[in-house]
Structure formats: C-alpha cells, structure tokens
Amino acid sequence: MKPRKIKDNIYWMGFVDWNSRLFDSLIPLPDGTSYNAYLIKGSDKTVLIDTVEPEFYYELEAQLENIPRLDYVVSLHAEQDHSGSIPHVLSRYPEAKVISSPKAKNLLMDHLHIDEESIITVKDGETLSLGDKTLEFIHTPWVHWPETMVAYLREDKILFSCDFFGSHIATTDLYVTDEARSYEAAKRYYAEVMMPFRKVIKKNLDKIAVYDIKTIAPSHGPMVPRPAFIIDAHKEWVDDLPKNKVVLPYVSMHNSTKKMVDYLVSALVDRGITVEPFDLTVTDIGKLAIALVDAGTIVVGTPTVLAGPHPHAAYAAILANALRPKARFLSIIGSYGWGGKTVETLAGLVSNLKVEILDPALVKGSPGKDAYTALENLAETIAVKHKENGLQ
Ligand code: FEO
C-alpha cells in the first residue's frame, strides 16, 4: 500500500496484515491487524512516528522511497512490532535520531542494539519543534510496557497513541467506520495486554483529558475520528466497579460438569444476572478476556483429572490471574470421579486476584439433588453479593 495522506504533510504509512491470526504467539487475531507508522513533514524537520514489525519492513521501505531526509524516528513503544524496523530506518537515514522516553532507551538498546548516541530521550511534556508543527510527548506508562508514551501534534490536534486506543483490525479504511466493530476489537486488545495495568491507565486517561484531541492515530487498527468514543470506552473498562455479570469458563469430560454449568447459568439468569459461559475446548481466549473485563464474578467449572483441575481449567485460571480483572468474587464448580485437590490447586493459581472465594460446589460423579441445591445456593450468594456491592 502507498503512503496515505491524512492532512497536508501528514501521512499514514505501515503495513496492513490481513493474514496473521495470532499476536505475540498468544492472542487470537480474528480480523488481522495493522502496524501503523506516521510521517510528519514539518517546515524544518521530518519525523516518522513508529515503524513496523521487521518482517514487513519492505513495505515501509517502499513507502519511504520519496522521502530524501528523515530527522527523527519517534519510538512511542519499544516492543518490536513498532520499533523493530528502527535499525533498518537508521541504516537508510544515518542522520536520523531516535526519540524515546528515558525508560525506553535501554529497552531499545537491549532489544534492537541501537547505539546510545542515536537516541534522544524526552521528558514528560517535552516538545519537539518541526518548524510549523510541534510534537508534545506525554508519558503514559504501562500501556502496556513501562516505557510507553504518546505524542500530541498540537497544530493538528492529533494524538499518536501507539498501542493505547489501538485495535487489531486489518482494513483499507483509514478511519473507524464501524464503532461497534472497533469497540470489540479495542476491548479485546485492552483485555489481553492492558487490563493488568488498569489503575495506571486510569491516571493516563486523566492525563490526556486536558488535551483537545480531534483524531487518535494508534499504531494498530484504523484512526479514530471521534475520540470520545474510544476514550469513554476505556474509562468504563478501567472503572473499579464491575457489572452484574458472571463469567463461567468451563471444561467437561463426561457431561457432569456441563450439567452443573447449565444449571448454574439458569439459576443466575433467574436472579437477573448476565452470564457468559465459555467451553474451554473451543473458546477463543480473546472472547474470554473480553468477558473478564467487567465481570463481577468468575466461576470456573472443571472436572477433576489426575487429582487436580483439568489442564484447560488451569490454563484459564492462569490467564485470569495474569490479566487481573476487577472481578470481586470467584468460585469453582465441577464433578470428580474419586477425589483430588482441585479447589486447592485452582485457588493457588489465582493469587493475583483480589477476590472473595465463594463456597465451591464440587460433587462426586453425576450431579444429583445435593449438587443442584449447592448450585442454587451459589447462585443466590452471588446475587446477594452483587447487590450488596452495587453491581448493575
Ligand atoms: Fe503493539 Fe505492545 O506492541
């Protein structure tokens, strides 16, 4: 794809990756992604913001064909999908300097072997004049690495945000045209890499609130022409109060745990609670992560296998533990054949979660009357707890 003009002297560059289906060897990408770079030609200086995943540099190289001089390459984030092609860019433009946050400097040196002399670090709030345009750098740590920052182009009111406000969508549209689609893609990305840092992200949202932003230009997915849409979504996601919702990841081998899951779903729905069950043998973990963003309670359904939780359930627990959702309650349901330490093992896997553990419902063999009574009690406890905590 050729460079695409955003405004006079501001261009989208980068690579639209239609085919990737897995990001970081972990995150499903149902709609592909893009690696966006942005070229700004000021009256005095020319700057490139971010680059592309190195395997796609050939496209960026072609886009830079008619750019004879580059003064700066801004690295908003040192992760390789944005900074990985900086060494190639520096080879093409040896006079260019890399601009990064102080924390990014060592990361760029460690990950990409960029010379220290080539890097200029910028303080929070520092500006860079390009002549008739001014870039202001705003440190926004932990979206989702410690060194991340964003850049605000004052004259054009564009916020270059890298991963922050990004979405994994491959599209030929330069701007978001379907907010509902972008909402889900952005929520998926937030859930998978940013949710653990939501308290810091909350502060970052406060920090950028004072800027008059007309366009958000992330480094994944289309640009956002109505910033309030995506900023408000993030405010909701980082808010401390979860929703009146239960997320129920489960796995069942002989249908006993499945019967318990079905019963619990129905008992919760009877009490006005939204439930999202996920069969872990077929679940897209991105969908599970999205559901975890605002769940009030997590209930893990698992049979006991070899005296412990099913490995799929253990994986879900480890994932939830890493993502640190804001859920307030957690429980475990399932069936066992002869015994084991399923509850103890699973509880040990979620030590990061600040949750109250509700009495589990573990039964031997096929669920009967006692099991359904226990599930009814669990549903009632969840309903009461949600109400007491003001979850809506
Ligand atoms: Fe898109 Fe954290 O890299």
Side-chain angles (χ1 to χ4, degrees):
M1 208 176 285
K2 293 176 187 165
R4 300 183 69 183
K5 183 175 172 180
I6 298 169
K7 295 178 78 171
D8 284 346
N9 296 320
I10 306 173
Y11 296 87
W12 174 93
M13 292 186 177
F15 185 79
V16 178
D17 184 359
W18 297 93
N19 300 323
S20 287
R21 287 293 174 268
L22 204 59
F23 195 73
D24 289 350
S25 300
L26 172 69
I27 305 166
L29 293 175
D31 300 310
T33 189
S34 68
Y35 304 99
N36 306 334
Y38 297 95
L39 186 86
I40 305 168
K41 290 182 189 169
S43 55
D44 293 340
K45 306 285 186 189
T46 298
V47 58
L48 181 70
I49 296 181
D50 285 336
T51 64
V52 294
E53 184 76 52
E55 67 178 298
F56 305 124
Y57 174 66
Y58 65 92
E59 186 115 328
L60 181 60
E61 186 177 31
Q63 292 162 344
L64 290 167
E65 189 182 348
N66 297 319
I67 307 300
R69 181 183 167 85
L70 195 65
D71 297 285
Y72 304 106
V73 188
V74 173
S75 172
L76 296 176
H77 176 25
E79 194 167 13
Q80 291 90 330
D81 52 324
H82 308 291
S83 66
S85 292
I86 290 177
H88 296 307
V89 173
L90 292 180
S91 296
R92 184 183 172 90
Y93 302 102
E95 73 283 7
K97 295 291 182 193
V98 178
I99 292 183
S100 77
S101 70
K103 280 187 181 162
K105 183 174 178 178
N106 283 340
L107 290 169
L108 290 168
M109 290 164 59
D110 291 342
H111 289 279
L112 301 166
H113 301 161
I114 296 173
D115 289 341
E116 187 170 7
E117 303 74 50
S118 297
I119 304 175
I120 299 170
T121 61
V122 285
K123 296 190 192 82
D124 189 18
E126 195 168 330
T127 58
L128 175 73
S129 174
L130 308 180
D132 58 346
K133 293 185 187 297
T134 315
L135 272 176
E136 179 177 346
F137 301 102
I138 308 158
H139 290 190
T140 49
W142 296 109
V143 287
H144 57 123
W145 279 22
E147 89 298 2
T148 42
M149 65 176 184
V150 298
Y152 179 65
L153 188 59
R154 282 182 178 169
E155 292 73 13
D156 299 278
K157 299 181 172 34
I158 301 175
L159 186 77
F160 298 95
S161 61
C162 199
D163 281 347
F164 202 13
F165 306 121
S167 58
H168 288 303
I169 297 178
T171 173
T172 55
D173 294 337
L174 206 46
Y175 294 93
V176 169
T177 52
D178 179 345
E179 288 188 349
R181 183 180 180 216
S182 284
Y183 178 95
E184 167 141 347
K187 193 173 185 181
R188 172 184 288 259
Y189 196 34
Y190 165 84
E192 290 163 338
V193 298
M194 296 181 200
M195 183 154 59
F197 313 113
R198 67 182 177 84
K199 288 191 186 295
V200 190
I201 293 174
K202 207 172 192 175
K203 290 183 188 159
N204 290 333
L205 289 168
D206 291 342
K207 204 166 176 179
I208 63 161
V210 298
Y211 292 85
D212 180 13
I213 301 167
K214 295 282 186 247
T215 306
I216 292 179
S219 296
H220 295 295
M223 293 189 292
V224 186
R226 194 172 75 82
F229 141 68
I230 201 69
I231 291 172
D232 287 350
H234 278 72
K235 282 182 187 164
E236 187 185 319
W237 301 336
V238 301
D239 190 79
D240 285 334
L241 194 65
K243 293 194 185 305
N244 183 26
K245 182 171 97 175
V246 171
V247 169
L248 214 173
Y250 72 93
V251 57
S252 187
M253 293 161 61
H254 302 295
N255 226 25
S256 296
T257 299
K258 175 71 165 59
K259 284 180 189 165
M260 296 177 73
V261 167
D262 290 345
Y263 189 93
L264 182 61
V265 169
S266 182
L268 290 166
V269 170
D270 283 348
R271 289 164 173 83
I273 298 170
T274 299
V275 194
E276 290 195 56
F278 293 92
D279 178 345
L280 293 167
T281 62
V282 295
T283 287
D284 163 354
I285 59 161
K287 285 276 190 190
L288 173 58
I290 289 171
L292 287 171
V293 168
D294 40 27
T297 295
I298 302 166
V299 178
V300 180
T302 179
T304 295
V305 186
L306 302 172
H310 191 288
H312 280 313
Y315 177 73
I318 290 170
L319 182 70
N321 192 54
L323 298 181
R324 301 185 192 208
K326 58 191 170 194
R328 304 235 174 133
F329 309 100
L330 184 136
S331 192
I332 298 162
I333 64 171
S335 159
Y336 60 92
W338 36 266
K341 294 194 170 176
T342 292
V343 171
E344 296 90 323
T345 305
L346 271 183
L349 296 176
V350 292
S351 55
N352 284 343
L353 302 186
K354 294 183 170 48
V355 288
E356 179 184 342
I357 306 280
L358 307 179
D359 281 347
L362 267 270
V363 301
K364 190 172 185 181
S366 184
K369 190 164 171 289
D370 289 350
Y372 294 127
T373 301
L375 292 169
E376 204 67 54
N377 290 340
L378 178 57
E380 184 60 24
T381 302
I382 291 170
V384 169
K385 294 281 185 187
H386 281 199
K387 196 166 183 186
E388 284 174 355
N389 281 265
L391 309 196
Q392 297 179 332

Short mmCIF file of all heavy atoms in Angstrom, two decimals, residues 93-125:
data_model
loop_
_atom_site.label_atom_id
_atom_site.label_comp_id
_atom_site.label_asym_id
_atom_site.label_seq_id
_atom_site.Cartn_x
_atom_site.Cartn_y
_atom_site.Cartn_z
N TYR A 93 18.59 6.21 6.85
CA TYR A 93 18.76 7.63 7.18
C TYR A 93 19.75 7.74 8.35
O TYR A 93 19.32 7.92 9.50
CB TYR A 93 17.43 8.26 7.59
CG TYR A 93 16.35 8.16 6.55
CD1 TYR A 93 15.33 7.21 6.65
CD2 TYR A 93 16.32 9.04 5.45
CE1 TYR A 93 14.32 7.12 5.69
CE2 TYR A 93 15.31 8.95 4.49
CZ TYR A 93 14.32 7.99 4.61
OH TYR A 93 13.34 7.92 3.67
N PRO A 94 21.04 7.63 8.09
CA PRO A 94 22.02 7.62 9.20
C PRO A 94 22.01 8.90 10.02
O PRO A 94 22.46 8.90 11.17
CB PRO A 94 23.36 7.44 8.49
CG PRO A 94 23.06 7.09 7.08
CD PRO A 94 21.65 7.49 6.78
N GLU A 95 21.49 9.98 9.45
CA GLU A 95 21.47 11.24 10.18
C GLU A 95 20.32 11.31 11.19
O GLU A 95 20.29 12.18 12.05
CB GLU A 95 21.34 12.43 9.20
CG GLU A 95 19.97 12.62 8.55
CD GLU A 95 19.66 11.65 7.40
OE1 GLU A 95 20.47 10.71 7.18
OE2 GLU A 95 18.62 11.80 6.76
N ALA A 96 19.38 10.40 11.08
CA ALA A 96 18.17 10.47 11.94
C ALA A 96 18.50 10.09 13.37
O ALA A 96 19.35 9.24 13.64
CB ALA A 96 17.10 9.55 11.38
N LYS A 97 17.82 10.74 14.30
CA LYS A 97 17.92 10.40 15.72
C LYS A 97 16.63 9.73 16.17
O LYS A 97 15.54 10.07 15.68
CB LYS A 97 18.13 11.67 16.56
CG LYS A 97 19.44 12.38 16.29
CD LYS A 97 20.60 11.56 16.80
CE LYS A 97 21.93 12.28 16.60
NZ LYS A 97 23.08 11.38 16.79
N VAL A 98 16.78 8.83 17.11
CA VAL A 98 15.60 8.15 17.67
C VAL A 98 15.16 8.93 18.90
O VAL A 98 16.00 9.26 19.75
CB VAL A 98 15.94 6.70 18.06
CG1 VAL A 98 14.73 6.02 18.69
CG2 VAL A 98 16.43 5.93 16.85
N ILE A 99 13.88 9.21 18.99
CA ILE A 99 13.34 9.89 20.17
C ILE A 99 12.52 8.89 20.96
O ILE A 99 11.64 8.21 20.41
CB ILE A 99 12.48 11.09 19.74
CG1 ILE A 99 13.39 12.14 19.13
CG2 ILE A 99 11.68 11.66 20.91
CD1 ILE A 99 12.70 13.41 18.73
N SER A 100 12.81 8.83 22.25
CA SER A 100 12.08 7.87 23.09
C SER A 100 11.96 8.42 24.50
O SER A 100 12.60 9.42 24.86
CB SER A 100 12.83 6.53 23.15
OG SER A 100 13.93 6.62 24.02
N SER A 101 11.15 7.75 25.31
CA SER A 101 11.11 8.09 26.73
C SER A 101 12.40 7.58 27.36
O SER A 101 13.06 6.68 26.81
CB SER A 101 9.89 7.44 27.39
OG SER A 101 10.07 6.04 27.47
N PRO A 102 12.79 8.13 28.52
CA PRO A 102 14.03 7.65 29.16
C PRO A 102 13.99 6.15 29.44
O PRO A 102 14.99 5.46 29.26
CB PRO A 102 14.08 8.46 30.46
CG PRO A 102 13.32 9.72 30.15
CD PRO A 102 12.21 9.29 29.23
N LYS A 103 12.83 5.65 29.84
CA LYS A 103 12.76 4.21 30.15
C LYS A 103 12.90 3.35 28.90
O LYS A 103 13.27 2.18 28.98
CB LYS A 103 11.43 3.88 30.85
CG LYS A 103 11.44 4.23 32.32
CD LYS A 103 10.21 3.74 33.01
CE LYS A 103 10.25 4.14 34.46
NZ LYS A 103 8.95 4.09 35.11
N ALA A 104 12.57 3.92 27.75
CA ALA A 104 12.66 3.13 26.51
C ALA A 104 14.09 2.99 26.02
O ALA A 104 14.40 2.07 25.27
CB ALA A 104 11.81 3.78 25.42
N LYS A 105 14.94 3.91 26.46
CA LYS A 105 16.30 3.94 25.89
C LYS A 105 17.01 2.59 26.03
O LYS A 105 17.48 2.02 25.05
CB LYS A 105 17.10 5.05 26.57
CG LYS A 105 18.48 5.22 26.00
CD LYS A 105 19.17 6.42 26.62
CE LYS A 105 20.59 6.54 26.08
NZ LYS A 105 21.27 7.73 26.63
N ASN A 106 17.08 2.09 27.25
CA ASN A 106 17.77 0.81 27.44
C ASN A 106 17.05 -0.34 26.75
O ASN A 106 17.69 -1.27 26.26
CB ASN A 106 17.93 0.51 28.93
CG ASN A 106 19.05 1.33 29.54
OD1 ASN A 106 19.92 1.83 28.82
ND2 ASN A 106 19.02 1.50 30.84
N LEU A 107 15.74 -0.26 26.72
CA LEU A 107 14.99 -1.32 26.04
C LEU A 107 15.34 -1.34 24.55
O LEU A 107 15.54 -2.40 23.95
CB LEU A 107 13.48 -1.11 26.23
CG LEU A 107 12.93 -1.36 27.64
CD1 LEU A 107 11.49 -0.86 27.75
CD2 LEU A 107 13.00 -2.84 27.99
N LEU A 108 15.44 -0.16 23.95
CA LEU A 108 15.78 -0.09 22.52
C LEU A 108 17.21 -0.59 22.30
O LEU A 108 17.49 -1.26 21.30
CB LEU A 108 15.64 1.35 22.02
CG LEU A 108 14.21 1.88 21.94
CD1 LEU A 108 14.19 3.39 21.71
CD2 LEU A 108 13.43 1.17 20.83
N MET A 109 18.08 -0.29 23.23
CA MET A 109 19.47 -0.76 23.10
C MET A 109 19.53 -2.28 23.29
O MET A 109 20.22 -2.98 22.56
CB MET A 109 20.35 -0.04 24.12
CG MET A 109 20.54 1.44 23.76
SD MET A 109 21.17 2.45 25.12
CE MET A 109 22.70 1.67 25.49
N ASP A 110 18.78 -2.77 24.27
CA ASP A 110 18.82 -4.22 24.55
C ASP A 110 18.15 -5.04 23.45
O ASP A 110 18.66 -6.07 23.03
CB ASP A 110 18.11 -4.53 25.88
CG ASP A 110 18.88 -4.00 27.07
OD1 ASP A 110 20.07 -3.72 26.92
OD2 ASP A 110 18.27 -3.86 28.16
N HIS A 111 16.98 -4.58 23.04
CA HIS A 111 16.20 -5.38 22.10
C HIS A 111 16.66 -5.22 20.65
O HIS A 111 16.55 -6.15 19.85
CB HIS A 111 14.71 -5.01 22.18
CG HIS A 111 14.05 -5.48 23.44
ND1 HIS A 111 13.62 -6.76 23.61
CD2 HIS A 111 13.77 -4.85 24.60
CE1 HIS A 111 13.09 -6.90 24.81
NE2 HIS A 111 13.18 -5.73 25.43
N LEU A 112 17.14 -4.02 20.32
CA LEU A 112 17.43 -3.74 18.90
C LEU A 112 18.87 -3.35 18.64
O LEU A 112 19.23 -3.09 17.49
CB LEU A 112 16.49 -2.62 18.41
CG LEU A 112 15.00 -2.95 18.56
CD1 LEU A 112 14.15 -1.71 18.39
CD2 LEU A 112 14.59 -4.01 17.55
N HIS A 113 19.66 -3.28 19.71
CA HIS A 113 21.08 -2.94 19.58
C HIS A 113 21.26 -1.60 18.88
O HIS A 113 22.15 -1.44 18.03
CB HIS A 113 21.83 -4.05 18.85
CG HIS A 113 21.73 -5.37 19.55
ND1 HIS A 113 21.97 -6.58 18.96
CD2 HIS A 113 21.38 -5.68 20.83
CE1 HIS A 113 21.79 -7.56 19.82
NE2 HIS A 113 21.41 -7.04 20.96
N ILE A 114 20.40 -0.65 19.21
CA ILE A 114 20.56 0.71 18.67
C ILE A 114 21.63 1.42 19.50
O ILE A 114 21.66 1.31 20.73
CB ILE A 114 19.21 1.47 18.75
CG1 ILE A 114 18.18 0.78 17.85
CG2 ILE A 114 19.38 2.93 18.35
CD1 ILE A 114 16.77 1.33 17.97
N ASP A 115 22.52 2.15 18.82
CA ASP A 115 23.59 2.86 19.53
C ASP A 115 23.01 3.91 20.47
O ASP A 115 22.08 4.64 20.10
CB ASP A 115 24.49 3.61 18.53
CG ASP A 115 25.34 2.63 17.73
OD1 ASP A 115 25.49 1.48 18.19
OD2 ASP A 115 25.82 3.03 16.66
N GLU A 116 23.64 4.02 21.61
CA GLU A 116 23.20 5.00 22.60
C GLU A 116 23.22 6.42 22.02
O GLU A 116 22.32 7.23 22.28
CB GLU A 116 24.11 4.91 23.83
CG GLU A 116 23.65 5.76 24.99
CD GLU A 116 24.42 5.47 26.27
OE1 GLU A 116 25.41 4.71 26.22
OE2 GLU A 116 24.01 6.02 27.31
N GLU A 117 24.23 6.70 21.19
CA GLU A 117 24.37 8.06 20.64
C GLU A 117 23.23 8.42 19.70
O GLU A 117 22.98 9.60 19.43
CB GLU A 117 25.69 8.21 19.86
CG GLU A 117 26.96 7.88 20.62
CD GLU A 117 27.14 6.40 20.83
OE1 GLU A 117 27.04 5.64 19.85
OE2 GLU A 117 27.34 5.98 22.00
N SER A 118 22.55 7.42 19.20
CA SER A 118 21.46 7.71 18.25
C SER A 118 20.15 8.05 18.95
O SER A 118 19.18 8.42 18.30
CB SER A 118 21.20 6.49 17.35
OG SER A 118 22.32 6.20 16.60
N ILE A 119 20.12 7.90 20.28
CA ILE A 119 18.84 8.04 20.99
C ILE A 119 18.81 9.35 21.79
O ILE A 119 19.73 9.66 22.53
CB ILE A 119 18.61 6.85 21.94
CG1 ILE A 119 18.67 5.53 21.15
CG2 ILE A 119 17.27 6.99 22.67
CD1 ILE A 119 18.58 4.28 22.02
N ILE A 120 17.73 10.08 21.58
CA ILE A 120 17.48 11.29 22.39
C ILE A 120 16.26 10.99 23.25
O ILE A 120 15.21 10.56 22.73
CB ILE A 120 17.15 12.51 21.49
CG1 ILE A 120 18.32 12.83 20.56
CG2 ILE A 120 16.76 13.71 22.33
CD1 ILE A 120 17.98 13.86 19.49
N THR A 121 16.38 11.16 24.55
CA THR A 121 15.21 10.90 25.41
C THR A 121 14.47 12.20 25.68
O THR A 121 15.08 13.28 25.73
CB THR A 121 15.63 10.24 26.74
OG1 THR A 121 16.48 11.12 27.45
CG2 THR A 121 16.33 8.92 26.49
N VAL A 122 13.17 12.07 25.83
CA VAL A 122 12.34 13.25 26.09
C VAL A 122 11.60 13.09 27.41
O VAL A 122 11.13 12.00 27.74
CB VAL A 122 11.32 13.49 24.95
CG1 VAL A 122 12.01 14.07 23.73
CG2 VAL A 122 10.54 12.23 24.59
N LYS A 123 11.55 14.20 28.14
CA LYS A 123 10.83 14.19 29.42
C LYS A 123 9.33 14.25 29.17
O LYS A 123 8.88 14.62 28.08
CB LYS A 123 11.24 15.41 30.25
CG LYS A 123 12.70 15.45 30.66
CD LYS A 123 12.87 16.58 31.68
CE LYS A 123 14.32 16.88 31.92
NZ LYS A 123 14.93 17.76 30.92
N ASP A 124 8.60 13.94 30.21
CA ASP A 124 7.15 14.06 30.14
C ASP A 124 6.78 15.52 29.87
O ASP A 124 7.21 16.42 30.59
CB ASP A 124 6.56 13.59 31.49
CG ASP A 124 5.05 13.47 31.44
OD1 ASP A 124 4.50 13.40 30.33
OD2 ASP A 124 4.43 13.44 32.52
N GLY A 125 6.02 15.76 28.82
CA GLY A 125 5.60 17.12 28.50
C GLY A 125 6.57 17.87 27.60
O GLY A 125 6.29 18.99 27.16
#
